[in-house]
Amino acid sequence: MNKKLLSLVLVAALAMSLLAGCGSKEEPKATTAAAADTTAAAADNETEAPADTTAAAGDETTAAAAAGGNTTGETIKVGYAQVGHESDWRTANTKNYQDVFSAANGYELSFVDCDNDNAAQLEAVRGFIQQELDYIVIAPIETAGWDTVLQEAQDAGIPVIIADREIDAPDTLYDAWVGTNTKNEGITAANWLAEYLDGKEANILVIEGSVGASATLGRTEGFNEVAAEHSEWKILDSQSGDFTQAGGQEVMESFIKSYEGQFNVVVCQNDNEAYGAMDAMKAANITYGVDGDVILISYDATHDGLQYTLDGAINCNVECNPIQAEVVAGVIQAMATGGSFEKTTLVNDQAFVAPGIESEYATTMTQEILDGRAY
Ligand code: GYE
């Protein structure tokens, strides 16, 4: 192996271990199983989501910064317009940004929690433009409404990175995108359900995420695409729980009033909603999970969500990796030093199922996996 090739391999390995391990040295072997990888599932499905360029890097500049460090010798000012604080996923994502874009790493981070308010988020971005920050990172609350403010950032000469969620705007209006493929997450959840039910009927209730968020739209579209192939499945209802525990509980309570005794599957589009739904079902004496009457599917695979999966209360939990700041820092470093970077970088994730379930689409949970999680 020549030197250049060897360094590329090492760099890719570093980037992958940072992404996959999220700082953990004990990432379970199973996480590398292709079948359990929602990205691998993408290969079979046409999606609009950006192609997987995770190991992206493949070049020295990106990888050097993947560790988080600013190598330019000058403090880089970064604005992050964060969605809000609606979920454990969001908390992990915020912490990740604060850790990576720290003063010690050579950054000055202007962090704005937009409290799930679209107008506040536009205002935050305009504030970053006025402050003449060096880079703007946006986790867009909704897909729509971005053209004008992105044009303003471009006119001001400030590079913009869209992170976590997707937007509905021409890609000439931003410089890079880093996030997860939520449509594939939906496809994985439904593929798992089909495998688990093996032809049995499904009467499904869906607690969706926030209205207009790409994570909601993607998970819904992916799941529905597979559901359409199953005439034995019926989606009884689908309502937004706003990605919160309170929202999940409220929607589940109203579902129980309308559909008690009629459903055997509940899909929650994030873990916090699942906690709320579990509380509502418990209060109504409805059993769920591997030993229950209702199959419970969740997304995010945050620490507590995986604990519930390990306990058998959640049957299947499709991961969405919140650890994205290293990749964003890598892109910023490449921009700052004239290095090359990928326009779109997909952060990998996978799916997990409760003990006792074997799946082609997901990894069976173990204590070891939970102990190895960094968020
Ligand atoms: O699933 C949810 C959060 O945008 C992928 O937002 C993210 C979603 C995540 O509030 O928990």
Side-chain angles (χ1 to χ4, degrees), residues 86-87 89-90 164-165 215 219 243 270 300 320:
E86 70 285 359
S87 66
W89 189 100
R90 193 61 55 197
D164 163 25
R165 297 179 182 171
R219 287 170 190 164
F243 281 134
N270 82 346
D300 279 0
C320 180

Side-chain angles (χ1 to χ4, degrees), residues 135 230 251 256-257 284 306 363:
Y135 297 90
H230 291 273
V251 172
I256 292 169
K257 279 194 193 119
L306 284 184
T363 302

